[in-house]
Amino acid sequence: MATVELRRLCKRYGAAVAVDRIDLSIAEGEMIAMVGPSGCGKTTVLRMISGLIEPDGGQVLIGGNDLTRAPVHTRNLGLVFQSYALFPHMTVFENVAFGLRRRSVREPDLGRRVGEALSLVRLDAFSGRYPRQLSGGQQQRVALARSVVTEPRVLLLDEPLSNLDAALRDEMRVDLRRLQQRLGITTVFVTHDQQEALTLADRMAVMRAGRIEQLGTPQEVYERPASAFVAGFVGRSNLFEVDATADGLRGPDGITLRAIGTVRGRMRAALRHEKLRLHGTPPPGANTFEAEIMLRSFAGAQALYVVRLNSGPEWQAEAPSNPPLAEGTRVTAWFTPDDLILLPLDG
Amino acid sequence: MAEPRRDTTGLLLLAPLLGVLTVAFLVPVLSLVPTSLRPYVAGRGIGEGWTLEHYTNVLTDSFYLEILARTIGLGFVVTLATLVIGYPLAYILARSESRWRHWLTLLVIFPMLLNLVVRTFGWIALLARRGLVNQWLMGLGITDEPLRLMFNFTGLMIGLTHIFLPVMVLVLIAVIQNIPRDLEEAAGVLGASRAAVFAKVVLPLSAPGILAGSILVFVLTVSALVTPRLLGGPTYKVVSTLVYEQFLQLLNWPAGSALALLMTAIVLLLLWVGARVARRWEARE
């Protein structure tokens, strides 16, 4: 277990900048998610921490030691690949034992530690199987056991859940969090799935074009996105531009809005889908609109609606699916001023 | 009752190939069996009656035994040489991300596009007593006397290694490309040095390619005719040149048949042993 510190980390591929002077400090035992669209550089950061890619500039410090140029096999890290990368010619036992054997761990310690790691991921009964005889979820757990059995200082996960189907993913998500907390291991994981980052991470770093756009707890990032990009990437929002005028904020199609905070000139605004409410009575001071339900799609406990406000803009809303609102129904749509997130125009 | 039908479908699909192999390969080879048991009458060829003398000759006469041993030895040495030279090359070509990769691969295949006789004459020009290699060696003062590089084991080994290297490289490239790079990276992160990554991951996973390439090169080497004939000259013989001589120069078909069949049996035995060893090696890893 150790801290991880990245200092002005850079990586270029020809003219393209994959990672652009990233600074990041990760505390001992913390679980950090790097999220962003594909090509934002998040995997490159992970691979530079692991040593599989050499940075063009900057430093990687693990436990306070500069390991920027240290060879991969000397770093004592755990890395779970998106593809799991299990050795097909070795049994589950030998896969998990691989790292221990490289460290000259011998029987009976070897067998005991492999056994412990396998029971940690509930695969005790599978040690004699080959990877091809396991399901995707089981392979994933072998990969996890293999990377924690050596007691690495940092655990790195590259899109750990993306190859699993939805039900299994939820199960593994819980398993992963429980395992990480039980081992108290510093963990960095990369995902393009914002839901995964929100539910798993202590803090998340939202990346865009090689830079960290915002770093914070999932709640901070969700409720106070730093830019329209973050608001659009984490959670679902209605994004639009607003103008400050003498009598308040003017939104699209001339609707007037109330928000909290000072507004100068033109700004971007974001409204989370679930904050645009279609049920209940608006409190005093709320933004209220006459709205018509244009489209309704059922999504279990919630339903997604497209509503037209004051015969003007069409926004999306997420509301409890019960009671249902049929298409064409007229309702009062509302949100409180502090639900409206104001963002700078650039970005 | 769908099961038996599937079997006949498989057989039908194989039928064209089996037919061709039977008519063009199995029948001619088997027809050598009776020929090999006939006596040889000088000047006339195949005689009357039955005899085992050709087999006993080959297996007791030191002249034949030496040629047999030489041929099989050549097979092993050439296989090993193509493997040792070809593996690093195949690995680099399989793992390279350079845009020159396809050109380099083409360069490996290129010798195969040239006529075998031309390639062999190229080696004669290089390896002859007054050839380029000897001129350089003497010019640089490494030797005073020209080295004997032709009409002996060295010459055949050099020539055949060069000619069959592309075969080995192509087989190995295909297998190494199928080993996911992730596996090497995973092994590295788990603490394996580059040597350990190679020994524990890359090598075992390329074993099928090593086996396939080795079998191909070995079989091609022990059955090669043109190169040994040209680089070995009339006196330094291998089994295939000997068989050729028996059939077409001495018209001793019975002895030639016996030699050819013995060689086939020995090669099949070696392949069987090789496949068994390789399977055990794979299973153990």
Side-chain angles (χ1 to χ4, degrees):
Chain A
M1 272 115 280
T3 59
V4 176
E5 201 174 333
L6 310 181
R7 290 186 189 156
R8 299 182 72 75
L9 205 58
C10 282
K11 183 70 194 175
R12 279 179 295 273
Y13 292 110
V17 180
V19 172
D20 188 8
R21 285 162 292 161
I22 278 189
D23 289 297
L24 183 63
S25 279
I26 303 169
E28 220 169 281
E30 195 179 20
M31 191 161 192
I32 287 251
M34 317 279 302
V35 284
S38 46
C40 70
K42 56 191 192 295
T43 300
T44 308
V45 171
L46 196 80
R47 293 171 73 84
M48 284 195 284
I49 300 174
S50 72
L52 290 170
I53 296 180
E54 200 173 323
D56 292 326
Q59 287 175 300
V60 176
L61 283 81
I62 294 172
N65 302 318
D66 185 350
L67 295 184
T68 316
R69 311 282 160 205
V72 185
H73 66 278
T74 61
R75 295 192 180 196
N76 192 19
L77 308 175
L79 172 56
V80 175
F81 288 75
Q82 188 173 4
S83 64
Y84 315 143
L86 298 178
F87 304 124
H89 57 303
M90 296 181 196
T91 59
V92 168
F93 182 95
E94 282 304 323
N95 264 281
V96 177
F98 188 88
L100 295 174
R101 288 195 196 280
R102 302 285 81 72
R103 289 161 178 76
S104 305
V105 177
R106 308 220 180 280
E107 294 287 3
D109 270 4
L110 184 82
R112 181 181 52 77
R113 286 176 68 177
V114 172
E116 280 171 12
L118 284 176
S119 68
L120 207 59
V121 295
R122 293 174 286 128
L123 281 177
D124 322 56
F126 293 84
S127 67
R129 300 256 191 114
Y130 282 89
R132 62 176 175 275
Q133 299 167 311
L134 302 177
S135 69
Q138 290 166 339
Q139 291 185 19
Q140 159 84 43
R141 303 216 295 270
V142 175
L144 207 54
R146 185 177 70 174
S147 58
V148 298
V149 72
T150 55
E151 293 168 4
R153 294 188 285 180
V154 180
L155 181 61
L156 308 167
L157 308 164
D158 185 7
E159 302 272 4
L161 305 176
S162 67
N163 282 344
L164 303 175
D165 56 51
L168 208 53
R169 197 174 328 174
D170 289 342
E171 192 188 319
M172 272 308 295
R173 191 145 59 197
V174 176
D175 278 6
L176 197 60
R177 185 58 168 157
R178 201 169 279 160
L179 185 81
Q180 191 264 338
Q181 282 175 344
R182 191 162 143 196
L183 300 174
I185 189 171
T186 313
T187 303
V188 183
F189 75 99
V190 153
T191 180
H192 65 272
D193 180 353
Q194 43 109 0
Q195 200 64 34
E196 216 165 282
L198 288 172
T199 51
L200 271 177
D202 294 318
R203 283 192 299 159
M204 58 196 281
V206 183
M207 286 192 64
R208 179 195 192 186
R211 310 210 64 162
I212 293 177
E213 188 104 345
Q214 188 174 7
L215 175 69
T217 65
Q219 197 166 358
E220 279 166 16
V221 172
Y222 187 82
E223 290 185 348
R224 290 289 139 207
S227 68
F229 173 80
V230 176
F233 192 79
V234 180
R236 281 184 282 267
S237 307
N238 297 296
L239 284 166
F240 46 88
E241 290 181 0
V242 293
D243 285 301
T245 59
D247 42 77
L249 280 181
R250 191 166 295 279
D253 294 311
I255 60 172
T256 52
L257 300 161
R258 269 187 299 276
I260 291 182
T262 48
V263 186
R264 278 187 209 88
R266 181 160 258 244
M267 289 192 91
R268 270 182 176 268
L271 179 66
R272 297 287 182 203
H273 288 177
E274 74 277 7
K275 300 287 188 189
L276 180 59
R277 283 163 233 254
L278 307 177
H279 297 290
T281 329
N287 294 292
T288 58
F289 306 93
E290 287 305 311
E292 185 186 353
I293 307 288
M294 307 301 289
L295 199 72
R296 168 178 185 268
S297 67
F298 179 74
Q302 299 284 302
L304 307 173
Y305 294 96
V306 176
V307 294
R308 170 168 292 198
L309 306 178
N310 293 355
S311 312
E314 285 191 358
W315 285 359
Q316 292 185 41
E318 191 181 321
S321 53
N322 208 20
L325 301 168
E327 284 162 17
T329 313
R330 300 201 152 268
V331 293
T332 302
W334 59 275
F335 58 90
T336 57
D338 63 336
D339 286 337
L340 193 66
I341 304 160
L342 293 173
L343 302 161
L345 197 58
D346 49 359
Chain B
M1 278 296 169
E3 287 303 307
R5 253 192 77 173
R6 214 174 53 191
D7 290 345
T8 54
T9 312
L11 201 63
L12 280 173
L13 286 170
L14 281 174
L17 180 64
L18 285 176
V20 170
L21 280 180
T22 309
V23 173
F25 181 71
L26 206 57
V27 170
V29 169
L30 289 177
S31 75
L32 289 180
V33 177
T35 312
S36 72
L37 297 169
R38 296 285 184 185
Y40 167 65
V41 182
R44 293 234 311 278
I46 304 168
E48 294 294 317
W50 303 97
T51 175
L52 277 172
E53 64 172 338
H54 306 299
Y55 289 96
T56 50
N57 272 351
V58 172
L59 292 174
T60 52
D61 189 333
S62 65
F63 172 75
Y64 289 114
L65 284 178
E66 195 195 322
I67 290 176
L68 265 179
R70 172 188 299 160
T71 307
I72 289 162
L74 196 64
F76 279 115
V77 171
V78 170
T79 304
L80 196 68
T82 52
L83 193 58
V84 169
I85 300 170
Y87 200 102
L89 187 59
Y91 184 83
I92 288 167
L93 288 175
R95 284 289 186 247
S96 164
E97 281 167 3
S98 154
R99 60 207 170 93
W100 298 106
R101 206 186 76 153
H102 295 292
W103 294 106
L104 288 172
T105 313
L106 205 67
L107 215 60
V108 171
I109 303 168
F110 185 69
M112 294 175 97
L113 304 176
L114 286 176
N115 185 292
L116 184 60
V117 177
V118 174
R119 274 185 286 165
T120 308
F121 271 115
W123 278 111
I124 292 177
L126 287 172
L127 300 177
R129 202 179 149 73
R130 293 273 158 219
L132 277 175
V133 173
N134 271 323
Q135 284 179 21
W136 284 335
L137 287 178
M138 289 193 294
L140 291 168
I142 297 169
T143 56
D144 298 327
E145 284 287 294
L147 296 177
R148 253 179 80 86
L149 297 170
M150 265 178 66
F151 308 128
N152 61 8
F153 198 84
T154 317
L156 292 195
M157 193 195 83
I158 294 173
L160 290 168
T161 299
H162 165 246
I163 282 162
F164 296 131
L165 185 63
V167 177
M168 182 64 96
V169 172
L170 288 180
V171 173
L172 288 175
I173 285 179
V175 173
I176 295 171
Q177 266 176 343
N178 274 332
I179 303 174
R181 214 173 289 226
D182 281 2
L183 297 184
E184 289 174 61
E185 294 180 347
V189 175
L190 286 167
S193 62
R194 295 195 77 153
V197 172
F198 180 75
K200 300 291 173 189
V201 177
V202 181
L203 197 61
L205 287 175
S206 50
I210 294 174
L211 182 67
S214 297
I215 287 176
L216 266 175
V217 171
F218 183 81
V219 169
L220 288 170
T221 302
V222 298
S223 63
L225 175 69
V226 175
T227 309
R229 183 71 187 79
L230 293 177
L231 283 177
T235 50
Y236 196 80
K237 295 184 174 70
V238 294
V239 171
S240 52
T241 54
L242 191 61
V243 170
Y244 175 84
E245 206 169 76
Q246 298 285 349
F247 267 88
L248 293 174
Q249 286 172 353
L250 303 173
L251 293 179
N252 189 348
W253 285 36
S257 302
L259 253 176
L261 286 171
L262 266 176
M263 192 63 203
T264 309
I266 291 169
V267 169
L268 285 176
L269 184 75
L270 286 173
L271 292 186
W272 180 74
V273 171
R276 273 190 69 107
V277 168
R279 201 170 308 147
R280 192 165 300 171
W281 179 36
E282 269 176 85
R284 203 191 50 202
E285 270 298 334

